[in-house]
Structures are given as C-alpha cells and as structure tokens.
RNA sequence: GCCCCCAUCGACUAGCGGCCCAGGUCGCGGCCCUUUCAAGGCCGUAGCGCGGGUUCGAAUCCCGCUGGGGGCACCA
C-alpha cells in the first residue's frame, strides 16, 4: 500500500511554527516512503482573509522547503459530497435529524480504540462520546465530519496530526466505519510549548514562519531544528540536512511528550549553518535578506563585508547592527573612547600615508603605533575600534578599515580624536 | 465534573530489565586562544516527580498519587 498523508491547516492566520513541525513530519514520512503529501485547506468560508492566509501558508512551506503533491484542495468544495453522505447515513439509520441538523448515532456501549503510532494503544469508552452533529442546520458540515470524509476520499493512509486531535479520533473512526471505509493509521505528534512551558505565543518571540525568516534564520536551520522537536534518530546526532532527515526519519521514534521551543539552541544551530555556507553563498543570502528587509545598501560592499561577519553573527538580522558602520555615519560615545585621543591621533597619522592600504599593512602599521605608545594591544585598539565603528563590538578592525577606505577612516579618526 | 494524553539534567533528547553510580547536543561556569565580539579547544555543572509493587536486578514493566496538557460545541 502506498503512503498518502496530508497537511491540513485551517486558514485562520499565518503558519504557526507548531503546525509546521507537524507538516514536516508528514512530508518526511511521505518522502521516505515514496508516497504523497497533500495540502488540504480546512476552510469554512471564502473570505479574502482565507485567500491571503492560504497564499501565505504556501509561501511559508515553500520557503522552508516542505513540498506538497498535487493541487491544493479546499474543504468547502466538498460540502455537497458531505451532505450526500449524511443523508445516506440517515437513510441507513446511522444518523438522524435533530432540529434541522443531522446527528450521528454513536454507539453507547463498548470502546473505540486504535493503535496510535506514537502513543500505542488508545481506547475511549463510547458512552463518553456524544452523538455529534454531522451537518449544521444551515447545511454546512462540521469539522469532525468533513475531515474524516476527506481522509477517505483522498485515500489517506496515515493521519499525522497534533495531539490536540486525540479526542476527535474516536468520533472520526466511528464515522469512517459507518460508511464502510478503511480507517487510516493515526499518529498524534506532541505539541510544542514556549520557553516557559506554556503554549507558544507571541510573547515568546517569533512563532510564525515568516517571522523566523525575517529574523534571519535559514530554512535549513528551521528544518533541522523542528525535526528534532519530538524526534531524534539516536542519542548523538543533532545536525542533519534535508536528505538525511528524509532517510532517517521514523514515526515510531517520535516522542509522545511535548517539547519546549528553545530559541537559544535555535540561534546556535543557525550560526552553525551560517558558518557552513561558502563565502559566496553566504554573501548571496545576506544580500537577498537585506533586500527583503528594505535595506538599499550597496551589494558589492555587502559582499565584501560578508566574510568579516560570517563567523561572528548567528542571525542575518544581526548584520545591520554589527556591520552598519560600513554603510552609514557613526556617533561614537566619548565615554567609550576612553581618553584614547593620543592613540587615535597616532593612528590617523600612520594611516594617512600608508601604502598599500590593505588589512595586512594596516595591522602592521597600527601594531607599531600601539607598541610605540607602550600600550597593550587590547588597550590600544579599542579606542580606534570605537572611533571607526562607533561600537565596542565589531568585525575585525583591520579588515574593517580596509573596507571603509582611507578617506572615511581618516575623517572618523579625526572626529573621534576631537571628542575623546 | 467526565474522558483522553504526557512525565530522564534549566532546554532538546538517548535509554525499550543488567552494557547506566544515566550518554549526546544547547545553555550555563572556568581555563586556553585572542584587536572587541564571535568561532574554536579543554575542563566542569546539572537529571530518572513521589509512593507502592513485579523481579536476583528497574530510568526502563504494573498500580496509585502528584503535576502539566488537550477535549467534552450546529469552532477548526
């Protein structure tokens, strides 16, 4: 039997990171088994918000690299089919009319059970399940009717979804059995919590996929990090790219207990992937990201600056703050200049005529200046750094000076010397 | 109230009865390197929620408790 799974977001807003993790598991499972991964929008109306959210969801999936097969389908389009099935169930005595709505007759004895791939055997007493509404009195099918029906029609073999659906499962199983279809395999994956153990929400930081993108996280980071939330191939491996994830993923190894989203570890991992990029690729991504965020900085200069920051920042969004001095004027805090006027002046004198004006020679020259004044390197270079970059923290000083160019360097040194 | 799910370092997890006085990764602390910040190297910190069983032996199996979470809609 070939595998067919589905991602079923409701178009109520932007794609939440918890939902993406669930979709990721669907996709990994489908790819590993050479099966299909469908994208099914569980909408109940056709408003403009829905259209926008649907678009946004696809954009986010594309960005992160989770693919779907075939056309996107909409629950709303199958309303009529749902109604027909409900009427059939009424005719068979398995459902009944109730004040204009149609209710499903739940068995009131025994249990409904299934073997959940991540949780094992689960069973619920039927007496605790009420007769649920299939069709509202306005004619629209309810979620708990439409969703399992779509699973049947789409030939879904494995329903991989969030654990908040566990209590819906017995209801849906009963419906599927009532129409005489095969019940799919269920796998309920755990929730993702925020760093305080509570539900992931805005105050924890980014929660929408688009926000992670804007923060300067790489798609490969998100894929790797999310996969590890609730799943691990073994006790050792933490860094895995797309192909390895597909190869090693296993639904059976998904943990049943909820995980907390750890932004600190995410940052670490992003730094790893950022550093792994070739200098060319790194510069490319940086330029694209800056463009997306509305910076009109010179791409040539960004490209030349990229190698100076690649080892030093964990997110692309740190670039403007860290290397912005290359693109705009700076205002050093006199306190940070720390009375460094003498060394700043001396540096200005040395650099004024230095040839060639490159990092190697700049370093040699400045080391001479600092030594000449009897200063330790860290004492001597710091005022110069502040003068040049406007900050106590910066990329390598000598390379930065080379990129800035002689003219700007000299004027910044002069300005700083005046206020130090 | 009823039903269901969950429970190993601060976090993500490995562990599926002896290989575990519990391993890896992040974080955190220290040291080294060092022009700042990072990166890197080395060392370290810290955990099986509690109580009963079962067993020669339990983090691992069973029961209870406690604590989290979800559900009980003509929401999805």
């Amino acid at each position: 039997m070939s595998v067919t799974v589905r991602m079923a977001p409701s178009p109520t807003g932007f794609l939440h990171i918890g939902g993406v993790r669930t979709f990721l598991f669907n996709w990994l499972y489908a790819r590993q088994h050479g099966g299909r991964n469908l994208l099914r929008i569980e909408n109940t109306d056709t408003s403009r918000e829905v259209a926008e959210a649907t678009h946004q969801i696809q954009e986010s999936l594309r960005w992160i690299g989770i693919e779907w097969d075939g056309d996107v389908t909409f629950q709303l389009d199958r309303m009529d089919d749902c109604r027909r099935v409900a009427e059939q169930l009424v005719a068979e005595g398995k459902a009944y009319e109730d004040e204009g709505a149609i209710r499903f007759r739940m068995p009131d004895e025994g249990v409904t059970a299934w073997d959940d791939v991540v949780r094992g055997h689960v069973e619920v007493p039927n007496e605790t399940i009420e007769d649920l509404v299939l069709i509202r009195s306005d004619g629209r099918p309810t979620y708990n009717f439409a969703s399992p029906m779509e699973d049947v029609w789409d030939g879904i073999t494995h329903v991989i979804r969030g654990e908040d659906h566990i209590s819906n499962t017995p209801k849906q199983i009963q419906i599927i059995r009532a129409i005489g279809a095969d019940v799919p395999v269920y796998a309920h994956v755990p929730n993702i919590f925020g760093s305080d153990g509570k539900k992931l929400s805005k105050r924890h930081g980014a929660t929408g996929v688009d926000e992670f993108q804007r923060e300067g996280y790489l798609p490969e980071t998100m894929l790797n990090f999310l996969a590890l939330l609730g799943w691990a191939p073994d006790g050792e491996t933490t860094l895995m790219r797309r192909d390895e994830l597909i190869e090693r993923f296993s639904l059976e190894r998904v943990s049943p207990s909820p995980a907390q989203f750890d932004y600190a570890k995410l940052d670490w991992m992003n730094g790893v992937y950022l550093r792994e990029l070739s200098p060319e690729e790194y510069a490319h991504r940086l330029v694209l990201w800056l463009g997306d965020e509305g910076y009109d900085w010179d791409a040539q200069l960004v490209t030349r600056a990229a190698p100076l920051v690649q080892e030093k920042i964990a997110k692309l969004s740190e670039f403007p703050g860290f290397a912005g001095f290359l693109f705009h004027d700076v205002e050093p805090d006199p306190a940070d200049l720390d009375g460094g006027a003498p060394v700043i002046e001396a540096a200005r004198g040395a650099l004024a005529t230095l040839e060639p004006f490159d990092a190697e020679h700049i370093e040699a020259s400045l080391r001479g200046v600092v030594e000449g004044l009897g200063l330790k390197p860290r004492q001597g270079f710091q005022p110069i750094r502040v003068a040049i970059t406007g900050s106590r923290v910066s990329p390598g000083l000598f390379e930065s000076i080379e990129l800035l160019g002689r003219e700007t360097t000299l004027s910044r040194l002069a300005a700083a010397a005046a206020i130090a």
Side-chain angles (χ1 to χ4, degrees), chain A residues 199-210:
Chain A
K199 208 163 188 165
L200 200 58
S201 66
K202 279 292 168 197
R203 68 201 161 77
H204 294 108
T207 55
V209 174
D210 56 311

Side-chain angles (χ1 to χ4, degrees), chain A residues 44-169:
Chain A
T44 47
D45 67 84
T46 50
S47 65
R48 211 187 64 206
E49 291 77 58
V50 170
E52 251 168 48
T54 301
H55 175 74
Q56 179 67 226
I57 286 167
Q58 295 181 59
E59 281 303 298
S60 290
L61 289 173
R62 261 192 277 270
W63 174 72
I64 205 167
I66 297 176
E67 305 145 310
W68 60 94
D69 303 301
D71 293 333
V72 179
T73 59
F74 296 86
Q75 191 167 84
L76 197 64
D77 295 341
R78 314 219 254 209
M79 276 177 58
D80 293 340
D81 297 320
C82 286
R83 270 195 291 267
R84 262 192 290 282
V85 172
E87 280 157 20
Q88 178 64 32
L89 288 172
V90 172
E92 292 171 4
K94 293 173 179 169
Y96 58 93
E97 293 208 31
D98 175 36
E99 289 180 32
I102 295 178
R103 278 187 190 275
F104 183 78
R105 226 183 276 285
M106 282 291 170
D108 34 39
E109 287 181 354
V111 297
T112 301
W114 75 95
D115 291 307
D116 198 288
V117 183
V118 339
R119 276 149 222 282
H121 188 77
V122 180
E123 59 179 46
V124 179
N126 287 332
E127 58 182 336
T128 64
I129 310 173
E130 289 192 354
D131 287 1
L132 68 94
V133 170
L134 264 23
I135 305 291
R136 301 175 175 87
S137 43
D138 66 1
R140 291 155 56 224
T142 58
Y143 165 79
N144 270 318
F145 180 42
S147 185
M149 285 313 304
E150 290 203 279
D151 289 338
V152 169
W153 292 324
D154 291 337
I156 300 300
T157 57
H158 301 255
V159 173
I160 303 169
R161 55 176 18 169
E163 66 173 319
D164 44 320
H165 285 290
I166 291 176
S167 54
N168 289 327
T169 305

